[in-house]
Amino acid sequence: CDLHVTSAAMTSLEKGDQWQEAIELFIASQVARLSQNVVSCSAAITACEAGRWWPGAFDLLQQMRQKALRPNAFSHQAALSSTVDTWRQGLKRFESMRREGVKWTVLGCQDLI
């Protein structure tokens, strides 16, 4: 299975309120040793956002850094949105983004508020 197909499938699952299945697909792609990229990792982070599973979102951001993938504004925004119920984690993520020089989007600022 190709990484682009896997990323598209994860996005479809997340949009269909099946975020846990999207994460399982991401894990399966890692087990199959598909090389991950920013798009596939961001799709998995967005699935975590849909489930409000902020520990998973932050873990994926860390995995991206370990794989020398640079999380983009979209990756950070999705991770930040996953913290909607935990304002302390949201502020922690904001500070981390600021240190990394991530450019803010309107949606990212809206999520923080």
Side-chain angles (χ1 to χ4, degrees):
C1 192
D2 163 287
L3 185 60
H4 297 292
V5 173
T6 302
S7 296
M10 285 191 299
T11 299
S12 293
L13 286 166
E14 177 263 319
K15 299 286 182 208
D17 292 327
Q18 296 176 318
W19 68 272
Q20 291 158 320
E21 288 84 353
I23 297 300
E24 289 173 11
L25 183 57
F26 181 76
I27 292 168
S29 72
Q30 290 178 315
V31 170
R33 300 197 185 276
L34 288 179
S35 185
Q36 303 299 320
N37 62 22
V38 174
V39 173
S40 63
C41 292
S42 294
I45 292 170
T46 301
C48 292
E49 172 192 10
R52 301 290 188 239
W53 188 40
W54 62 265
F58 291 162
D59 183 56
L60 286 166
L61 283 174
Q62 185 61 32
Q63 285 181 37
M64 289 177 75
R65 291 183 192 99
Q66 290 170 350
K67 294 177 183 178
L69 297 174
R70 186 172 178 184
N72 59 21
F74 184 78
S75 308
H76 283 286
Q77 179 184 323
L80 181 62
S81 293
S82 73
T83 67
V84 73
D85 298 327
T86 56
W87 63 270
R88 285 187 181 105
Q89 287 299 325
L91 289 176
K92 183 178 176 182
R93 184 77 242 135
F94 168 76
E95 181 58 27
S96 175
M97 291 171 69
R98 191 182 63 75
R99 282 192 310 269
E100 292 179 23
V102 174
K103 294 193 184 243
W104 279 88
T105 64
V106 173
L107 292 175
C109 292
Q110 182 180 13
D111 289 337
L112 186 61
I113 294 171

